Amino acid sequence: MKAVVYKAPGKVAVEQVEDPEIQAPTDAVIRITSAGISALDLLLYTDRTAKAAPGMVLGHEVVGVIDRLGPAVATLEDEDRVVLPMNVACGFCINCIKGLNHACLTTNPDKPGAIYGYPDKGSYLGGQAEYIRVPFADFNCVKLPGVPSDQWEDDFLLLSDVFSTGFYAAERALVKPGSTVAVFSAGPIGLMSAYASILKGAIEVYVVDSLQELLDKAKEIGAIPIDYSKSDFVEQIYAWRKNNTNLVHALRTSEAEKMPGVDSGIAADESNSHAINRLAEAVNYAGAVSVAGSVDNLPWKKLSKKGVSVSMGETPVIQYIYNLRNMIIAGQAKPSFIIGKQYTLDEAPLAYDDLVKKKPGHIKVVLKTGLEH
Ligand SMILES: [Zn+2]
């Protein structure tokens, strides 16, 4: 089959690799119709995180159909349409039973937790390919309605990682109906965090970035875009709140002065130390911050002085994916608004290059295998 393989920093290639086989009776092989390129793939591509071994098949965002099933798979049938949560989990270890499926104790011989197409995460081949082997298929394949390439294909694909991760980030930031939220920055996870906050009933969601295309997307979903290249983003949020929301006016002056910021902060995508420090400033006393990207350090002193709760960690996607899938089916969520250009699998090297160069229309890109039937 054809697959996207890592070659060296800044280089991937589309090569013929061996077709995946059923290795255990609980396995399935999926014929992939769409695959995403995620921030994690780009970190590997640009050599900024764990080292990928040359030849590794990348990717953990997958929608497709069941091509073959092991004899012990009980709940799936050939040609069932499925999406894969990025975490490879067993469903029966103690961590999976507790809902910590990102820390499964069965699927990675070296440490807790496994992900498709990522080094040190269980050596599973990735999903930027024509086929993928899925262990414990009853647990790791989430059934979907419809047919490949229908109006839900791209929405369903985002369930594997970013939509679920954005929802988890909002949940960990304690976003509730009526909440005020600030999100830094507006990459795919930031936009999904903002979108999830709105779905959860937040009434003011400030999305902070400097790229106009991303700020326009934030505005499109009803968030308030804040351009940090113009001036300090915290001051902009304070000013916006003070001048534009009746909420602040509903407070007594002394209350408003003590609570000029937001209830929740979400650090997404590429949040550097300065950005996190300012985000901590923007969150009110007794608020909450969740970290959905990678950061080197956090302003612990400032956060602890204000009694802000802090949360981080990989998303146990399976815990959210069924409800989010149902929201898509019911027409209450359409996360694919972040998807721009689509490429064929053969065009993957170009897609990676265009993403790294942040070309317009490349907030999130998708690879289509052309294997609908
Ligand atoms: Zn497990």
Side-chain angles (χ1 to χ4, degrees), residues 89-97 101 103-107:
C90 71
F92 55 75
C93 74
I94 191 62
N95 277 354
C96 279
I97 287 167
N101 314 91
C104 175
L105 299 168
T106 307
T107 47

Side-chain angles (χ1 to χ4, degrees), residues 174-337:
L174 307 180
V175 176
K176 301 177 184 71
S179 286
T180 54
V181 185
V183 180
F184 188 102
S185 48
I189 296 172
L191 286 169
M192 286 293 101
S193 301
Y195 187 53
S197 296
I198 291 166
L199 290 173
K200 287 169 80 68
I203 47 168
E204 291 170 31
V205 179
Y206 300 89
V207 175
V208 184
D209 209 287
S210 62
L211 280 180
Q212 195 56 48
E213 183 185 11
L214 302 177
L215 294 168
D216 288 344
K217 279 286 172 194
K219 194 171 183 184
E220 194 179 303
I221 56 167
I224 300 154
I226 301 286
D227 184 350
Y228 68 76
S229 69
K230 289 186 175 159
S231 62
D232 177 65
F233 74 81
V234 182
E235 294 302 328
Q236 290 189 61
I237 291 172
Y238 287 174
W240 211 100
R241 299 215 69 222
K242 194 172 175 185
N243 298 325
N244 296 293
T245 84
N246 289 327
L247 278 180
V248 174
H249 301 151
L251 297 172
R252 286 183 292 142
T253 306
S254 61
E255 291 177 334
E257 283 172 356
K258 289 171 186 160
M259 302 285 269
V262 292
D263 303 319
S264 301
I266 298 172
D269 300 295
E270 297 187 32
S271 300
N272 57 33
S273 297
H274 175 71
I276 297 271
N277 198 25
R278 297 307 292 151
L279 189 66
E281 187 73 34
V283 174
N284 284 333
Y285 272 70
V289 164
S290 76
V291 179
S294 55
V295 290
D296 292 335
N297 53 53
L298 292 170
W300 292 111
K301 200 169 175 183
K302 183 177 287 180
L303 292 164
S304 99
K305 262 184 157 177
K306 293 206 288 187
V308 171
S309 67
V310 178
S311 182
M312 65 192 82
E314 191 183 309
T315 312
V317 171
I318 197 95
Q319 298 297 320
Y320 297 91
I321 198 167
Y322 283 93
N323 281 353
L324 295 176
R325 176 201 66 179
N326 293 350
M327 288 181 80
I328 291 169
I329 296 165
Q332 291 178 18
K334 188 93 184 137
S336 60
F337 71 89

Side-chain angles (χ1 to χ4, degrees), residues 131-163:
Y131 298 87
I132 186 170
R133 180 179 78 89
V134 181
F136 306 110
D138 285 310
F139 191 69
N140 289 311
C141 292
V142 174
K143 280 211 247 186
L144 300 171
V147 294
S149 299
D150 66 9
Q151 77 277 19
W152 290 321
E153 177 90 6
D154 291 343
D155 299 304
F156 287 151
L157 179 66
L158 297 179
L159 290 167
S160 287
D161 179 358
V162 279
F163 187 30

